[in-house]
Structures are given as C-alpha cells and as structure tokens.
Amino acid sequence: MSGLLEPTLYVIKGIAILDNDGNRLLAKYYDPSVFPTVKEEKKFEKNLFQKTHRANAEVIMLDRLTCVYRSNVDLFFYVMGLSHENELILVSVLSCLYDAVSAILRKNVEKRTLLDNLDIIMLALDEICDGGVPLETDPQVVTQRVSLRMEESPFNDQTVTQVLQSAREQLKWSLLK
Amino acid sequence: MMSSFKQIKKDEEEGGGNPYHSMDKTSVLQEARVFNETPVNVKRSTHVLTKILYLLNQGETLATKEATDAFFAMTKLFQSNDLVLRRLVYLGIKELCTVAEDTIIVTSSLTKDMTGREDQYRAPAIRALCRITDATMMQAIERYMKQAIVDRAPGVSSAALVSCRHIMKDSPDVVKRWVSEVQEALSSDCVMVQFHALGVLHQIRKSDKLAVTKMVTKLTSSGLRSPYAICLLIRIVARLIEEDEVGADSRLFDFLESMLRHKAEMVIYEAANAIVTLRKSSARDLAPAISVLQLFLSSPKPTLRFAAVRTLSKVAMTQPNAVTACNLDLENLIQDVNRSIATLAITTLLKTGSEGSVDRLMKSISSFLNDISDEFKIVVVEALRALALKYPRKQAVLMGQLADMLRSEGGLPYKEAIASTIITIIEDNPEAKEKGLDHLCEFIEDCEHTTLAVRIIHLLGREGPRTRQPARYIRFVYNRVILENAAVRAAAVSVLAKFGAQCESLLGNILVLLQRCMMDTEDEVRDRATYYHAVLATRDNALINQYILNPPQFALPSLERALVQYLRTDTSGPFDTRTIPTAPPPQEEKKTPNIMEPAPRPVERIIPTHEKYAEQLAAIPHFAHLGPLFKSSAPLELTEAETEYMVRCIKHTFQKHIVLQFDCTNTLNDQLLEAVSVVVEGDGWDIEASLPCPSLPYSQLGSCYTLLPIPEDIMATTGTFSATLKFKVRDCDPATGEPDTDEGYEDDYTLEDVEITVADHVQRAARSNFAAGWDELGATNELEDTFALSAMTTLEEAITQITQFLGMHPCDRSDRVPEGKSAHTLYLAGTYRGGHEVLVRAKLALADGVTMQLTVRSDDPEVSEVIASAVG
C-alpha cells in the first residue's frame, strides 16, 4: 500500500483550545470518521491534555493523529492532522491561531480575557479553518477580518488611555499653577 | 452584603473563572427571546448568541424543535447591521443548519449579503449560504458564485473556492461548470487563493488522468507562489509518478528534487517526504532527500526535528542503509526533551545500527520507556521484533528486555504487541522457545486481559507438549483453572487435554486434574472437562486424535442450517457431516497497524464473505436445489482496469454444480445496457442455466449468473472457458441517465478466459497437529510423484505457488522457510468437494530450480489422483 499523502485541501482534523484543567473552551473537529461523537472528542482531549500539559514539546502523536500544540499561562492551543500529515503545515495553522488570538486579546493570552472576547475568538477560528480546509494562515489578515469592534467604537482602548493621559496632564498643570 | 459577595466568589472558583460555566440549555434558549426585540438589542443579543454557540461547541445537542425555534429567532437579527452580531448569526446558521428545519428561509438574506458591498459580510455569507444550499438551489446562485470565485478580494475568492470544494462532496457536477473561473483564480497573487483553487481544480480533474498530467506539466514549469499550493502540487506529482507504470517521467522527478531547494521549510519537507515514500526511488534518488532531512534533525524547532526523524524512521523500515549516514545525528536526539522524537530516533537506530550497538541502545530504551505513550511503546516493540529477526544472537538480550516490558504498565494493544513479538521469536528460533514460554507463563500468572491470557494458554497447548519437559507447564495452566474467570478456565481445560493427548506419561495425572474441573461452577468449563475426560479415558489413539488434536472444523452457520434442514426431514438415517463445508482457517491475523504507518486507504468495495454469498445465492430460486455452498473463489478480473465495461467473476462451488457469478459495471455514462449476460463455452461442460441481468445503468453494479453442472468424471472437472459479454445498448443522456431511444442495438464485448482449477474444488482446512492427521489417514490412498519446477528460483516462491495452486492451507507454519536452508518440507491440508479430507506433504529441494517430491493422502483414491495430477 502506498504511503503517499492524499492530495487534498482537508488537512486539518481538529482545532482545540483547552484551559489549564484540560476542559474544552473551544474545539472543532472536522472529520466524523476520526471521532464520531462528542464523547470520544472529549475523551481524546483529556488524554491529550494529560500527555501535553507538563512537557512543552510542541508536537505529539496520539490516537493516530499528529497534534501540534502551544500553551500560555492557562491556555492550551492544539491543531490536529492525520498521523502522516505534513507537520509544518499544521504548525503554520497553529501559529496563525495563536498569534491571531494574541492580537485580539492584546497580548493578554489568558483564559479570562479569552472568555470575555469569546465571540470574536469564535469568529477568528471560523476564519482560520473552514470544515477542515485552512482558510487563512496569516494572523494579521485574520485579525483584520474579525476585529471589527475596535474600528467601530469611537472609544477604543487607545483613546481611553489617551484621554486619561491628557486628563492627568491637565490635573498636573492645574496643581502646578 | 458580605455573604453574597462570598457566594459570587465561590461560584467563580467553582467555574474556574468561567462565566459560561454551569449554564443550562433551557434557560439560555429562553433568553434567546431577546432576539425578537425591535430595534435589536445588539449587546444582549450578541451575548446570548455567544452563549448558544458556546453550548453547542461544548457538545450540547438541540432537539429539532429547539433548533428550529432558535434558528428562526436568530433570523430576526438580520435587521441589525452590527458587524459582529451579523457574523455570529452566520456561525449560528452553520451550526444549526444540520438540525433545524426549513433553513432555506435565510437564503435571500444571505444572498443579499453575499452580493452586497460590505466585504466583511460577503466572504462569510458565501460560506454560510453554501452550507444550507442543495444542488437544485445551486442553479439560482450559480452566477454569483462564478463572480465570487474571481473576486478581487482574496477573502471572498477563498471563501467561494472552499465552499465549492465542500459542495463537490455531494454534487460534483455543478462545480465542474465553473472550471474556467477556478482556473483564473489559480493565477491569483494571494497565497491562500492559489492553494484553494488548485485543490478544487484537482478535484474536478481527478478522474481524468490526461487532464491531471496536463495541469501538472503547466504548473510545474510556470511556478506557483503559494507554499501550500506547492505542497499540494507535490502530492499530485508524487501520485502521478507512482501510478505511471512505464517508468518515472524524469521531468516530474526533477520537479520534486528542485523543490528540495525551495525556501519554505514546509515545501522542502513535503518534497523530501514524497521522494522517500515513492516506491520507485532508487538509492541515488534518495540521497538528496535524506541529506535535507538530516539537516532538519539538528533544527531548533521541535516540529521540524520530529517531522524529519519520523520520515527517516519510515525509510529505515525498507532501506536501512540509506539512513546510516544520519546515525550520529540520531544518537544526539536520544536525549531530546520531546520523548516522541527520542523514541523515533531510537527505533530508527535499532534498524540502522550494527549488532554491537544493540546493548547500548537497549539501556537507553529502558531509561525512558515509562515517559512515552502506548502508541510509541508499540513502535519500540515492533523495532525490537525486527531486530530479533535480524540478529538471532542478540535474542537473549532482547527477550529479557521484552519480558521486563511485559511486566510493566501498559494497555492491551501494547501487551499484545509484546506477546506476539515473543511468539514470533519463539517460532523463528527453536532455541529461544523454552525461555520465551517461561516468560509468557510468568506473565499469565498476573495478566488482566482475558483475550491475551487465552491466546497465550493456547500457545502453551500448541508448543508445550513438544518441549523436553512438558510437565512443567501443567502447573501454570492448572493454576489458571483455579484462579481465573470462566473464559480463561475453559481455555485452560482444553489445553490440559492437549497435553494429555500428546504426552503418554502425563495422561494419568491429567485425567485426575480434569476430574477436578468437572466440579466447576461454569457450564462450559464443566462440559469441556467431561468431554475431554471421556475421550482421553478411552486411551484410543484414533479417537483422541480425531476429537482432541484435529477436531472437525465445520463452518458453523452452514452446520446450523444443515441441522435445521435435517430435523425437518426424515431423521431415521444418521446426519451426514460430509456435505457441511469446512470453515476455512482464519487468515493470518492482521498486525495492529502502528502509528508510524499511514492509515490504509478505504477499500473500494468490501468483499463479501462466504456466508453473504451463500445467502445471496440461496435467494435466487434457480439455485435453491444446489445444496450448501462449498466454496467461493476470490473475485477475478475479466477486463483491464478503466475499460468501457468492467467484469469480474466469482466462482461458487457446490456439491455437484459450479455457479459463475459475473459482477458487471458499465463505465459509459451515455449508455444504458439491457439484458446483459456472459456467454461461456468450454469443452466437456454443459450449461444448465444462464440468468441475465435485466438492466445495467451507468456506474451501477449488476450481476448475471451461469450454472454449470460438474462432469461426473473427476478428472474432467477442470477447464478453460472463453467468455463474451452480450448486451443490448440504449444511448442515453449523460446528465439524467434517461434513454434517448426506445430501440436499442445488440453488441458484445470479448472478456478474458475463465478458468476452473483444482483449487476451486478444494477448501483450505487447518490441522493443529499435522503428523497425527497424516498417520490417521494412512497410506491406503497414497500417491507419490516427483516434479522438477524449473521456473522457480527460491523455496519461498515454490511454496507460495504450490499453496495457491492446490488451494490448501499450510500447517505447522511449514510455509516459512528458515533462512539459508536449501531443503524444506511443506505440509498442506484441505477438504475436497464432497467432504473428502486431503493432506499433502511436499518435500522441496533447491538446486537449479526446485525439485519436489509430492505425497498425497486422502480418503478417496480418485481425489488423491486429482490432486497429484494438478501439479503436473
């Protein structure tokens, strides 16, 4: 039997974001033949978390899947492909996911902020992978496509800081007078 | 105030600071009522919709009614123009469309968004729309899709292309009409668009090899920009090279090699992986790919190291010499922090290293074996197995290592892999047998897996009696009777009987032990003990032989059917077991695929088993009188691959008839075939009936049958038949499959010959003790002859050929030739049509071709003659 890789767009079998207890925050699996039900998915996640939460080794093979992963504080990001998939493609998807999330959360890559911005993170995940096909791998493009709220609202963080800054300046001057 | 604060604090801690924790479905769906407010309450609606999506993502399922209600409430949100909310609605549509009903309702809203000016809407709207649209609706949005594919905005174009690819799973034909747009998108500047376009284009062209070749030729010379697209192209090219039988097109191979110098690591790896995986690659072709992978081995990126070492370990399985150059780098990786990488490095070294390095490697294995997952442990075990076969002198060390591993923690597949490796070593090397059996005995003393314990106990029953001191195994086996569950106890009782049957000196003691087992609480164990005790107590060798060592092996479903039949008729005469087909011995059990091997591609069509065939044929009234089905052959292709009509033949043998089943497939989409039959002609054979297939539409499988009575003369029961496919053609519209004309015309198509051989009359049968069976059958109907098989160059080749030719089953593992031997004896067992037992002993010697002395024994002189004449 030939071991050549299938020429297909469907290279991603799953993407998951888990918290530091191994609970699912967000997960998507694209191939029902890999995990037929949610029960198997969650069992796999528990197992995956057990094997990966201590060693930060970036790649592991588990249940006939190649999983690349990355973690920060209390969040674990995973991208899964078939066991013989080109790992470097998976890693490029993983870095896109991580960098996009990091940009959306303004570098506060933690569970709390992630949950506060869950709607945007969901949209980002949807922009990165569509039904198993990597849709976009450039984190900047992904953030552009989803971070709509910032442009919309007149008071984004930047301006709030600026307002405070100027208020402080004014106060300082008034005290000096 | 303080207490409520504490309460909140406590809630937060329980949910791990997760505000979505402990939400419940009903209340969230209640909250969805906020969607109905006018004007839309954007903030609240966004929050509630996020909650719903979160719940769905956690695996909560909605009933159809709940989903439909939520879906319709959600459609109200189209009134708001908030960007985030709108896009969440798209997500919601995609999530709910599989459960909710009448999702078509949002088509117009989505079409509006898809064709509108807002880029932020267009791409996701396309993706959502394609999810809810079926093939018939596709026509309506076809124009928009075509525009979207070539849109200037890369996001829109990508969304359209990826959606195309999804649609193709259900209705490939629609997308085929957009091929020129897809082609245009292929020349896009955007990395992702190019990748998606190539994926869709390849999917469209896939079945047309010429078109793929043309596409590849163009793309390999023009140069793609996107590394993702190039990776895909490399896979397509590799497929082409592999499928091309004539010899690799050197230009294609040059392309792969040039990609080793690409700047993206992703592409370099893909190319290297393709080159080493290609079966046609010579050692010289491998060299550049291996040296690229060698560079990756010392990369600071774990994934790159992992990819490289994984690929190298794959190469080492088939061509260990090619990897030897990397040994030094691999040794460094044994200390890698990533245990997966370390394991792969070690297993690769085990394959490429020399005999001298075994001891050292073994030490490093035991140091980290506890850190790695079971899958990887199995990889290690597989490597040890290969090593043991390669260096028989190291088997003692390896056996020790395996025994240690057997005692450590691990799941069933892992333990099974170890046990079967030990068994392989035992079978390969008789000197290691007793040592290996000792390890296994010790293991079953404390084995929690019933299946594995049973398997090992049976192995003891097979190998134990032939060792120097069979008595020592009795204790281990009898201990199981005392301590284990029913399944293991039953197996242990059977094995005790085997010892009793083969070792005279132990028989007395065994009878005592069996007597004790008759008090068992479990029926099965008691029954077995009583049965074996009764048979053994007679001390009649023929009886013992027939009912313990080589018990009859009927196909159970057929036996059941025959018994039911017998009870319905006159039961004054004894039941005749001769008409019951014997069960073919189980095929070599498939090795559990380890994670290093690619998942096998799904088999096109599952081949029905004996039982299925028997049922299918029994359902046809013409064949009802034929009696039980004796044997069905493997499907035989009567046409070349990829011709207009494909026909394969399956030969079904009955007591006095043979049924030829022709499975036909029509591969022309503009033809409807009617009254399809296969006309066969052969010397000395009559045709009793022929059943045509009334109608054979495009790409559907239809069967027609021919019934042949088997000639009385047993020597004339083989033959060659010419075969022609005859049918009536009606031209039809390729799109709908409706015939254009009422009148068709006759046509025929010549097929390859069908051959009925001796093997079609013989069913494979197992003998767990060949020598006993051989003696029992006696020399009454013995025939002996000597043959010179000049075309064979090795003993293995001769053995495969003879086994296939006679259709019999090799016993006592005599199909394996110890390395370096120039003489070997092959033992075969089978059942001839009509229930005649046949045993064959073939003594083979290698000297300028293979010389064979063939001895046939059976319970019928004519059968012996047929078998002996089959080889000549």
Side-chain angles (χ1 to χ4, degrees):
Chain A
M1 188 96 307
S2 149
L4 289 175
L5 298 179
E6 189 69 39
T8 174
L9 289 178
Y10 296 96
V11 292
I12 303 175
K13 295 295 159 191
I15 296 183
I17 305 177
L18 307 182
D19 71 5
N20 55 347
D21 296 317
N23 295 317
R24 171 193 289 196
L25 295 177
L26 212 54
K28 277 278 188 195
Y29 294 86
Y30 303 102
D31 188 346
S33 70
V34 178
F35 300 113
T37 68
V38 180
K39 207 175 136 212
E40 275 113 18
E41 290 172 12
K42 293 213 166 169
K43 198 175 145 214
F44 169 77
E45 282 164 19
K46 280 271 175 284
N47 195 1
L48 181 63
F49 180 75
Q50 276 234 319
K51 292 266 168 21
T52 52
H53 75 285
R54 258 173 298 143
N56 203 359
E58 201 177 298
V59 58
I60 186 172
M61 279 170 109
L62 198 66
D63 285 350
R64 306 177 69 69
L65 289 177
T66 298
C67 317
V68 292
Y69 61 99
R70 216 171 142 173
S71 65
N72 194 27
V73 196
D74 50 4
L75 286 177
F76 290 80
F77 299 79
Y78 299 89
V79 173
M80 279 76 79
L82 283 182
S83 63
H84 47 282
E85 190 49 71
N86 184 338
E87 291 85 350
L88 304 174
I89 296 184
L90 299 179
V91 163
S92 77
V93 174
L94 176 70
S95 358
C96 170
L97 172 70
Y98 185 88
D99 294 343
V101 169
S102 166
I104 292 166
L105 304 181
R106 290 160 201 267
K107 300 220 162 64
N108 292 319
V109 184
E110 302 172 37
K111 183 173 165 185
R112 188 78 228 188
T113 41
L114 181 113
L115 287 170
D116 289 344
N117 293 281
L118 193 61
D119 45 355
I120 306 291
I121 302 292
M122 281 177 179
L123 294 180
L125 186 58
D126 180 59
E127 284 294 342
I128 291 171
C129 179
D130 185 75
V133 180
L135 193 60
E136 183 54 65
T137 51
D138 182 346
Q140 264 183 338
V141 176
V142 173
T143 13
Q144 253 170 37
R145 285 188 191 157
V146 296
S147 55
L148 323 135
R149 193 173 282 156
M150 317 348 180
E151 295 151 7
E152 234 188 351
S153 91
F155 292 102
N156 55 25
D157 284 13
Q158 197 72 46
T159 47
V160 170
T161 347
Q162 277 166 4
V163 170
L164 279 178
Q165 186 96 40
S166 59
R168 206 175 293 138
E169 298 273 316
Q170 277 176 9
L171 190 69
K172 212 167 22 178
W173 282 113
S174 65
L175 285 176
L176 279 174
K177 269 178 195 166
Chain B
M1 164 80 191
M2 207 51 204
S3 66
S4 72
F5 175 74
K6 264 185 193 153
Q7 186 62 39
I8 292 166
K9 183 85 181 150
K10 196 160 158 258
D11 277 352
E12 257 190 13
E13 269 168 14
E14 267 177 9
N18 182 347
Y20 296 96
H21 183 79
S22 72
M23 282 187 315
D24 104 288
K25 179 173 80 172
T26 336
S27 63
V28 173
L29 288 178
Q30 287 274 325
E31 283 182 68
R33 262 184 272 168
V34 70
F35 296 168
N36 291 319
E37 280 175 27
T38 14
V40 175
N41 182 340
V42 174
K43 206 163 159 228
R44 284 253 307 159
S45 299
T46 309
H47 189 60
V48 173
L49 191 48
T50 310
K51 277 185 185 174
I52 295 180
L53 288 170
Y54 177 85
L55 276 181
L56 290 172
N57 195 270
Q58 288 296 317
E60 192 75 65
T61 47
L62 300 188
T64 312
K65 171 101 177 33
E66 290 171 325
T68 313
D69 287 351
F71 190 88
F72 275 83
M74 212 165 60
T75 55
K76 301 281 194 325
L77 300 177
F78 271 104
Q79 290 166 21
S80 156
N81 274 328
D82 182 79
L83 286 157
V84 173
L85 184 57
R86 177 69 59 88
R87 302 209 28 195
L88 285 175
V89 171
Y90 299 147
L91 275 192
I93 291 174
K94 286 200 275 186
E95 290 292 333
L96 290 175
C97 69
T98 47
V99 203
E101 288 170 337
D102 300 325
T103 50
I104 299 292
I105 194 110
V106 290
T107 307
S108 62
S109 306
L110 286 173
T111 317
K112 210 175 106 206
D113 284 354
M114 158 182 178
T115 51
R117 258 190 234 136
E118 183 58 80
D119 267 357
Q120 302 280 22
Y121 287 165
R122 281 163 64 206
I126 291 173
R127 291 193 284 129
L129 182 60
C130 289
R131 276 299 155 81
I132 60 162
T133 319
D134 55 15
T136 48
M137 300 273 303
M138 220 59 217
Q139 315 255 337
I141 56 162
E142 180 161 3
R143 190 164 56 93
Y144 305 127
M145 283 300 285
K146 279 184 170 178
Q147 279 168 8
I149 292 172
V150 292
D151 199 281
R152 266 182 308 119
V156 175
S157 177
S158 269
L161 286 164
V162 172
S163 300
C164 284
R165 182 63 191 83
H166 296 324
I167 294 168
M168 286 188 82
K169 284 194 240 172
D170 296 324
S171 42
D173 294 331
V174 190
V175 179
K176 278 187 187 153
R177 294 202 290 265
W178 309 339
V179 66
S180 57
E181 281 78 13
V182 176
Q183 223 150 12
E184 195 181 326
L186 189 58
S187 48
S188 157
D189 286 339
C190 173
V191 170
M192 294 320 280
V193 173
Q194 206 169 52
F195 171 54
H196 298 140
L198 180 58
V200 175
L201 196 61
H202 176 246
Q203 190 65 26
I204 295 176
R205 302 247 159 108
K206 209 165 97 179
S207 50
D208 182 354
K209 202 169 158 196
L210 194 69
V212 176
T213 316
K214 258 164 90 184
M215 177 180 88
V216 163
T217 317
K218 197 168 143 236
L219 291 176
T220 46
S221 54
S222 71
L224 292 163
R225 287 186 59 233
S226 157
Y228 298 93
I230 296 178
C231 285
L232 189 57
L233 183 62
I234 288 174
R235 293 182 193 186
I236 300 171
V237 168
R239 270 281 145 92
L240 270 186
I241 298 179
E242 189 83 347
E243 280 163 15
D244 194 10
E245 285 128 24
V246 191
D249 184 343
S250 63
R251 264 174 314 166
L252 290 181
F253 203 90
D254 289 348
F255 166 73
L256 290 186
E257 205 178 337
S258 71
M259 284 303 123
L260 292 174
R261 293 182 292 278
H262 196 269
K263 55 183 189 300
E265 282 166 345
M266 186 191 293
V267 174
I268 301 177
Y269 170 69
E270 188 75 47
N273 187 39
I275 291 177
V276 301
T277 318
L278 277 175
R279 267 177 294 195
K280 283 179 190 139
S281 299
S282 63
R284 205 160 53 88
D285 298 330
L286 283 184
I290 300 269
S291 55
V292 165
L293 292 173
Q294 189 175 3
L295 278 182
F296 283 177
L297 285 180
S298 41
S299 156
K301 295 181 196 161
T303 312
L304 211 50
R305 294 199 300 272
F306 179 84
V309 71
R310 192 176 56 118
T311 309
L312 286 173
S313 84
K314 206 163 62 184
V315 183
M317 284 185 200
T318 49
Q319 311 202 32
N321 293 337
V323 189
T324 325
C326 310
N327 276 1
L328 206 61
D329 303 83
L330 288 170
E331 296 247 1
N332 291 335
L333 290 184
I334 295 179
Q335 307 302 330
D336 202 291
V337 279
N338 185 326
R339 302 324 278 166
S340 306
I341 295 178
T343 318
L344 286 168
I346 279 221
T347 49
T348 313
L349 281 171
L350 285 177
K351 285 172 204 128
T352 62
S354 62
E355 192 166 351
S357 59
V358 171
D359 295 302
R360 192 163 43 83
L361 289 172
M362 218 49 68
K363 268 198 201 98
S364 23
I365 286 181
S366 37
S367 70
F368 72 82
L369 207 55
N370 290 328
D371 301 346
I372 57 178
S373 68
D374 266 15
E375 276 105 333
F376 272 110
K377 288 182 187 167
I378 294 173
V379 174
V380 174
V381 174
E382 291 296 328
L384 291 182
R385 178 208 294 265
L387 199 63
L389 296 179
K390 193 163 144 203
Y391 301 122
R393 271 190 293 158
K394 288 288 165 197
Q395 277 173 353
V397 186
L398 292 171
M399 191 79 96
Q401 176 74 37
L402 286 168
D404 283 346
M405 289 161 81
L406 204 49
R407 275 190 290 271
S408 64
E409 290 286 300
L412 179 60
Y414 171 51
K415 291 292 167 74
E416 260 181 350
I418 303 176
S420 68
T421 301
I422 294 185
I423 294 171
T424 315
I425 296 178
I426 292 175
E427 289 175 353
D428 182 63
N429 182 357
E431 284 152 38
K433 191 197 269 181
E434 297 200 6
K435 190 95 183 132
L437 287 181
D438 284 350
H439 286 310
L440 292 176
C441 280
E442 201 178 308
F443 172 59
I444 53 169
E445 291 279 276
D446 185 25
C447 171
E448 60 203 295
H449 309 290
T450 303
T451 47
L452 195 53
V454 168
R455 203 172 137 201
I456 291 175
I457 288 179
H458 276 292
L459 179 82
L460 286 178
R462 206 172 71 209
E463 302 290 345
R466 296 184 211 172
T467 54
R468 270 168 296 170
Q469 289 173 286
R472 55 202 296 252
Y473 301 105
I474 302 287
R475 180 173 62 89
F476 290 104
V477 177
Y478 191 67
N479 275 350
R480 296 305 95 211
V481 178
I482 302 170
L483 299 168
E484 286 282 357
N485 61 36
V488 179
R489 291 204 302 272
V493 166
S494 304
V495 167
L496 282 178
K498 288 231 165 97
F499 274 93
Q502 289 177 69
C503 311
E504 279 293 343
S505 56
L506 296 174
L507 186 54
N509 295 337
I510 297 277
L511 284 173
V512 175
L513 292 178
L514 286 177
Q515 191 119 39
R516 282 191 209 159
C517 299
M518 289 185 209
M519 306 296 172
D520 200 277
T521 48
E522 176 77 23
D523 290 353
E524 174 71 21
V525 182
R526 274 201 311 273
D527 289 354
R528 284 196 194 193
T530 315
Y531 169 79
Y532 287 126
H533 188 273
V535 175
L536 285 175
T538 61
R539 309 217 175 206
D540 174 349
N541 274 340
L543 199 66
I544 290 177
N545 187 13
Q546 204 174 349
Y547 289 101
I548 295 181
L549 295 180
N550 287 318
Q553 309 207 326
F554 298 119
L556 293 180
S558 310
L559 178 65
E560 186 188 348
R561 209 174 315 138
L563 284 170
V564 170
Q565 191 77 31
Y566 174 72
L567 289 175
R568 279 199 204 124
T569 55
D570 177 27
T571 50
S572 55
F575 177 71
D576 183 13
T577 53
R578 295 221 144 185
T579 56
I580 315 297
T582 48
Q587 292 287 344
E588 279 283 298
E589 68 175 297
K590 269 212 188 113
K591 196 172 60 140
T592 38
N594 75 40
I595 45 167
M596 295 316 302
E597 287 157 18
R601 266 185 276 161
V603 185
E604 286 170 20
R605 205 171 64 100
I606 294 156
I607 297 161
T609 55
H610 179 87
E611 260 320 289
K612 258 195 183 150
Y613 280 136
E615 251 167 56
Q616 277 173 16
L617 293 172
I620 300 172
H622 288 82
F623 303 144
H625 65 286
L626 299 183
L629 175 63
F630 175 71
K631 182 193 180 173
S632 297
S633 71
L636 183 79
E637 303 287 344
L638 298 186
T639 50
E640 307 257 317
E642 290 165 39
T643 46
E644 297 98 307
Y645 314 109
M646 295 198 322
V647 181
R648 55 171 85 187
C649 173
I650 302 155
K651 297 171 277 186
H652 303 287
T653 313
F654 289 85
Q655 174 80 14
K656 293 201 170 87
H657 296 83
I658 286 184
V659 171
L660 300 177
Q661 173 183 345
F662 299 96
D663 286 347
C664 315
T665 317
N666 167 14
T667 61
L668 299 177
N669 61 0
D670 55 354
Q671 285 192 355
L672 171 72
L673 305 188
E674 286 179 338
V676 184
S677 66
V678 175
V679 177
V680 292
E681 276 172 44
D683 277 348
W685 289 71
D686 301 327
I687 289 160
E688 191 174 310
S690 174
L691 302 184
C693 171
S695 164
L696 190 63
Y698 163 61
S699 85
Q700 279 179 26
L701 188 80
S703 302
C704 55
Y705 301 88
T706 305
L707 176 63
L708 307 165
I710 298 176
E712 286 292 320
D713 179 8
I714 195 165
M715 297 311 286
T717 52
T718 56
T720 307
F721 296 81
S722 65
T724 317
L725 187 70
K726 287 212 191 286
F727 47 85
K728 200 170 179 186
V729 182
R730 284 172 75 184
D731 293 323
C732 62
D733 179 8
T736 60
E738 288 296 315
D740 298 332
T741 51
D742 287 339
E743 284 297 299
Y745 53 92
E746 304 275 340
D747 203 354
D748 52 31
Y749 188 84
T750 311
L751 303 173
E752 284 179 31
D753 290 351
V754 179
E755 235 178 306
I756 293 180
T757 62
V758 171
D760 291 319
H761 299 281
V762 180
Q763 177 68 281
R764 305 183 310 126
R767 285 287 177 280
S768 45
N769 192 326
F770 186 86
W774 182 257
D775 292 339
E776 194 209 331
L777 215 44
T780 336
N781 298 317
E782 187 179 285
L783 277 180
E784 198 168 82
D785 211 341
T786 309
F787 301 90
L789 312 171
S790 50
M792 316 276 180
T793 50
T794 64
L795 288 177
E796 284 84 357
E797 193 188 344
I799 287 173
T800 336
Q801 290 280 340
I802 296 165
T803 313
Q804 254 177 22
F805 202 78
L806 295 177
M808 294 167 80
H809 185 70
C811 300
D812 293 353
R813 293 189 306 281
S814 62
D815 54 332
R816 286 185 219 164
V817 185
E819 214 160 303
K821 288 273 178 65
S822 61
H824 184 71
T825 310
L826 172 69
Y827 301 108
L828 296 171
T831 312
Y832 195 80
R833 183 171 50 83
H836 301 289
E837 203 181 326
V838 187
L839 295 178
V840 167
R841 186 182 65 196
K843 289 186 174 165
L844 302 164
L846 186 70
D848 283 344
V850 175
T851 318
M852 172 173 76
Q853 187 192 44
L854 190 78
T855 317
V856 185
R857 284 184 178 186
S858 90
D859 53 9
D860 187 303
E862 285 194 324
V863 171
S864 295
E865 204 180 332
V866 160
I867 299 291
S869 68
V871 181

